[in-house]
Amino acid sequence: MANSIWASLEQSGIGTTIASNEWMFPTIETIHVFALVTVIGAIAIMDMRLLGITSKNRSVKAVENDTIPVTWIGFSVAVVTGLLLFVSKATTYMANPYFLWKMGLMAVAGVNMAIFHRVISKGVDEWGQPGGTIPGAAKLSGALSLGIWLIIPFCGRVIGFTLGVYY
């Protein structure tokens, strides 16, 4: 049943157009990579602030206010381009363990971000001031986020080299 869903996506007009066109897949992939770099760069700035590595002279809230809009714009572009890439080879992607790891890690990163924003960041106006002591939970959240977002592009690169190997 699931395989027929992926095959239907792949056989759709947009799927076959992207897969059969000489320039569409590489163009979409290039935009996808730029979007991911934007997301990871913005997230890394925030994570390194939480870890006390950079931007120590700025409040956590100020860094967050600067990075969140860039992160969401980049993430939105990455989702759209990622879906277009997925549709062109859906059955191959769904058989690739690195693709599944990438999607799982992105879900974990989203949960980590939600916990940070809903729970951990309470009181950030006090502890997040320049020279303030970052709570251990915030540092752990930043370290986890940074680690996850370093592994995600690794999985993405391995996907590119293993497409068709598992299917």
Side-chain angles (χ1 to χ4, degrees):
M1 168 101 176
N3 283 341
S4 65
I5 294 171
W6 311 136
S8 295
L9 279 172
E10 198 171 303
Q11 299 301 320
S12 68
I14 193 163
T16 56
T17 299
I18 293 169
S20 63
N21 190 296
E22 190 172 308
W23 61 267
M24 281 188 88
F25 191 93
T27 301
I28 294 168
E29 188 174 33
T30 300
I31 296 168
H32 186 69
V33 169
F34 280 124
L36 278 179
V37 167
T38 302
V39 169
I40 293 168
I43 287 174
I45 290 168
M46 180 64 187
D47 292 342
M48 288 193 286
R49 174 60 182 100
L50 290 174
L51 292 170
I53 297 172
T54 61
S55 304
K56 295 178 189 175
N57 61 341
R58 299 187 67 218
S59 71
V60 170
K61 197 71 175 171
V63 174
E64 181 181 31
N65 288 339
D66 288 347
T67 58
I68 288 285
V70 174
T71 302
W72 280 114
I73 290 168
F75 188 76
S76 298
V77 172
V79 167
V80 170
T81 54
L83 286 171
L84 291 171
L85 294 171
F86 176 77
V87 167
S88 71
K89 298 177 181 177
T91 54
T92 306
Y93 282 119
M94 289 308 294
N96 189 308
Y98 295 100
F99 176 79
L100 299 176
W101 271 102
K102 181 181 174 185
M103 294 299 108
L105 287 169
M106 289 178 62
V108 172
V111 169
N112 181 50
M113 184 179 80
I115 291 171
F116 176 80
H117 287 286
R118 299 271 183 207
V119 180
I120 298 171
S121 70
K122 289 185 177 170
V124 69
D125 291 332
E126 292 177 30
W127 57 257
Q129 293 303 313
T133 302
I134 305 292
K139 288 182 178 179
L140 179 63
S141 180
L144 182 62
S145 173
L146 195 58
I148 289 170
W149 282 104
L150 289 175
I151 297 170
I152 288 171
F154 171 79
C155 289
R157 289 308 309 143
V158 176
I159 292 166
F161 289 107
T162 58
L163 272 183
V165 170
Y166 298 101
Y167 180 77

